[in-house]
Amino acid sequence: EGAVGDRHLIAIADLLANALDTAHAGILAELRRTRAVEAMVAVGVRTLDLADDATMEDVHRLYIVLSALANMADLGGQRLVREAGGFDLLLSLLRSEDGTALYYVVVGVQNMASEDA
């Protein structure tokens, strides 16, 4: 998947889900430096572009991306998510009929709403 393979995608999502409070800034800085968020968003967009041709692996990959975006926003990375196109990805799925995707989307949008002005 380009710059973000499945192994890396899962590692990033796990790191974001389990990050200690003291590590948030460092994690977000590294994600910005490596442009990993843009690569993750591209994975999500490619899955949406597949539509009915998406495999279960593709859908699972999308769930991981959405989860990571929601957690990133929760850690204070709202600007990073927005600048990488992640907020647009979340908004594009607000009417999803996939309950798992919709769960991550709603959490992600809620976390984006807490962004400091």
Side-chain angles (χ1 to χ4, degrees):
E1 295 300 65
V4 179
D6 285 352
R7 183 171 49 93
H8 295 107
L9 187 62
I10 292 168
I12 292 168
D14 285 344
L15 179 66
L16 290 166
N18 299 301
L20 299 174
D21 290 346
T22 56
H24 294 181
I27 292 168
L28 295 172
E30 185 65 10
L31 289 171
R32 181 179 296 282
R33 186 189 68 74
T34 60
R35 302 186 58 88
V37 184
E38 287 90 340
M40 293 171 68
V41 169
V43 168
V45 169
R46 274 196 304 275
T47 300
L48 294 182
D49 288 345
L50 292 172
D52 292 337
D53 294 329
T55 66
M56 285 308 296
E57 289 86 9
D58 295 324
V59 173
H60 180 70
R61 202 172 290 121
L62 176 64
Y63 295 160
I64 294 169
V65 168
L66 297 174
S67 170
L69 293 173
N71 285 324
M72 204 175 309
D74 186 49
L75 299 182
Q78 297 95 337
R79 175 178 279 172
L80 180 58
V81 170
R82 192 174 11 83
E83 290 173 352
F87 191 49
D88 291 336
L89 177 62
L90 291 169
L91 292 177
S92 75
L93 288 163
L94 269 175
R95 296 186 187 269
S96 175
E97 294 181 12
D98 181 314
T100 302
L102 189 57
Y103 169 80
Y104 290 126
V105 167
V106 169
V107 170
V109 169
Q110 178 181 356
N111 291 345
M112 289 295 293
S114 67
E115 181 174 13
D116 292 334

